[in-house]
Amino acid sequence: MNYSIVRAIKFAFQDFWRNIWLSLVTITVLVLAILSVNILVSLSAISNKIVESVKDKVDISIFFKSEIDQAQIDNFQIKLKNIPEVKEVILITKEKALEEFKQKHKDEPKILEALKEVEKNPLADALVIRARDTEDYNKILGVLSLKENQDLIKFQNFTDHKKIIDQINLISSKIEKISLAITLIFVLISILIVFNAIRVTIYTHKDEISVMRLVGASDRFIRAPFIIESVIYSVFSIGIAIVLLYAIFGAIGPYLADFLQTYNFDLIEYYNQNFFMIFGAEFAVVLLLNAISCSIAVRRYLRG
Amino acid sequence: MIKFRNVTKYYPPDTYAVKGINLHIRQGDFVSIIGESGSGKTTLIKLLTAEEKISDGHILLGGWDISNIYNREIPILRRQIGVIFQDFKLLKQKTIFENIAFALEVCGSPSSKIKTIVPQILKVVNLYHKAERYPTQLSGGEQQRVAIARALIHRPKILVADEPTGNLDFANTREIIDLLKKINELGTTVLLVTHDREVVNLLKKRVVLLERGEMVSDEKVGRYVI
Ligand SMILES: Nc1ncnc2c1ncn2[C@@H]1O[C@H](COP(=O)(O)OP(=O)(O)OP(=O)(O)O)[C@@H](O)[C@H]1O
Ligand SMILES: [Mg+2]
């Protein structure tokens, strides 16, 4: 059995070299298919990152009237925290706010001067509310608009980024649709090309195959080299695609970083972190598609 | 050894290639099968090697009924029956040695066994000195001897030859027939399909005559009578 496996692998590699141009075309198409899948993966990673960080910026700030005391604020904070949609409520006391304000303007003596003129702290105690999901803010705003709550609040500030988020989602889903279509085309072409490559290999070996049958080689042994050949295609194409992808990321990295400056997103790092998940899944799919098209070719052309 | 029981091969819509064949071949027999073109000789061989499915009847090999053989069992059958043909079926891009070694390689024999067995069998067919040549560099008779060597490589109990001398001149034909006789004397059952009157008369062995798919005579020491 071991001898058979070693020989089947040897035969497979011989075929691979003997039909090197066919092998190269097959692998090229597979590489293109894998690359286009990865465009899809990168785009959705980027747009997810952007949407995530925009969503992170969404919050509601409420500022309390000056006569409200600490106990009332604490109460209010507990009440907000009990709303299930609320992720966190951060208290910013007016002392802390003043501290931050001074820190921020420490190089602007005019502003600090002006602050000294006002003897009392002009700032208000505030709470910053973050919801679990952007969809949840409406409910929280509803709660805040109740009369009993409005009585405590001097003013509130809700920065809604809904429009931006919607727009990002729209653009990215359009791009994803286009690259999905391209990917599907490549996948289809790859199936045909692998099928054809195996068919040609079988054809160039029809004499050997008939002799194998004649002398009693098992069907499994006769098929094995072709299946192994399709595995070789898969391994080479995923390997080449990985090298190319990292080269491409390296080349576009600076531009991408420029474009995504505020979002602090590194595609290479993203791929490094998800290397085995992304390429493992892609390899599994490529292998599966190759094995299927190969076994259809084998079934059709290895009869008799 | 081999029993044909009422063996029939039917090709739709209306061809009975062989019909109701009953034949018993014993271990060590040398049987010639003769008959006009289209009488069903090759078909009978194809049924024996499971290249074609039997329409009706049974073929028994030892105790093994191969009439409903599973595909995965066919290789086992083929290793027990060596077959040679008129057109040799050698691989042109391989040397004589490689051609024979190939039969062992693809059946999973270890390399060490291949290295010892191939020279042995080449000596049996007297071609050891031409092991590194390619088939096209050999005469027809020599090529057929290579094919015989390959057919014998798994030490089959039966050797089947479908018109092995069809492409050969008289001298080469004699050589092949002598070799088949020698192989038979060493204990292998030989089934020879032939058109050649000289061959049959020379052999003085059992002869089975087919006519339009049916067996019309089976003689212990037959002569070519058509
Ligand atoms: N695949 C097939 N489909 C239909 N008919 C077939 C097929 N194979 C053989 N036959 C028919 O079966 C009959 C027997 O053919 P077979 O090849 O066994 O003859 P043969 O005795 O070997 O002839 P020859 O001496 O010319 O080789 C012929 O009439 C042939 O036309
Ligand atoms: Mg014939």
Side-chain angles (χ1 to χ4, degrees), chain A residues 1 3-4 7 10-11 14 18 207-219 221 303, chain B residues 71 75 78-79 83 85 89 91 93-94 102-111 114 150 154:
Chain A
M1 199 60 219
Y3 291 103
S4 306
R7 277 182 198 130
K10 202 181 92 186
F11 286 168
Q14 278 172 356
R18 206 166 287 165
D207 291 345
E208 270 120 317
I209 290 166
S210 73
V211 170
M212 285 191 212
R213 288 233 150 80
L214 181 70
V215 300
S218 67
D219 260 19
F221 181 84
R303 289 265 157 230
Chain B
N71 277 339
R78 300 258 169 93
R79 289 180 208 189
V83 193
F85 304 91
K89 298 199 195 298
L91 299 170
Q93 71 279 16
K94 289 188 190 294
F102 186 69
L104 288 168
E105 278 174 15
V106 299
C107 294
S109 304
S111 308
I114 295 174
R150 185 181 63 193
H154 296 306

Side-chain angles (χ1 to χ4, degrees), chain B residues 180-191:
Chain B
L180 291 180
K181 270 168 107 169
K182 183 174 136 194
I183 289 160
N184 177 242
E185 276 155 21
L186 292 171
T188 307
T189 308
V190 176
L191 212 61

Side-chain angles (χ1 to χ4, degrees), chain B residues 65-80:
Chain B
D65 188 345
I66 59 158
S67 30
N68 285 311
I69 191 168
Y70 291 114
N71 277 339
R72 65 183 142 81
E73 293 174 336
I74 291 176
I76 301 166
L77 174 69
R78 300 258 169 93
R79 289 180 208 189
Q80 295 179 30

Side-chain angles (χ1 to χ4, degrees), chain B residues 41-53:
Chain B
K41 307 180 294 294
T42 299
T43 304
L44 207 57
I45 301 300
K46 282 182 174 167
L47 296 176
L48 179 62
T49 59
E51 236 181 285
E52 294 280 357
K53 273 195 119 36

Side-chain angles (χ1 to χ4, degrees), chain B residues 8 24 48 62 64 69 94 99 104 107 115 121 123-124 133 146-147 152 160 176 178 182 196-197 207 212 216 219 221:
Chain B
T8 296
H24 186 184
L48 179 62
W64 184 15
I69 191 168
K94 289 188 190 294
N99 261 284
L104 288 168
C107 294
K115 281 200 193 96
I121 203 83
K123 278 172 191 156
V124 171
R133 296 218 194 161
V146 176
L152 294 177
V160 173
I176 295 299
D178 285 344
K182 183 174 136 194
D196 195 329
R197 170 191 307 268
V207 174
R212 283 194 222 100
V216 293
E219 290 174 53
V221 180

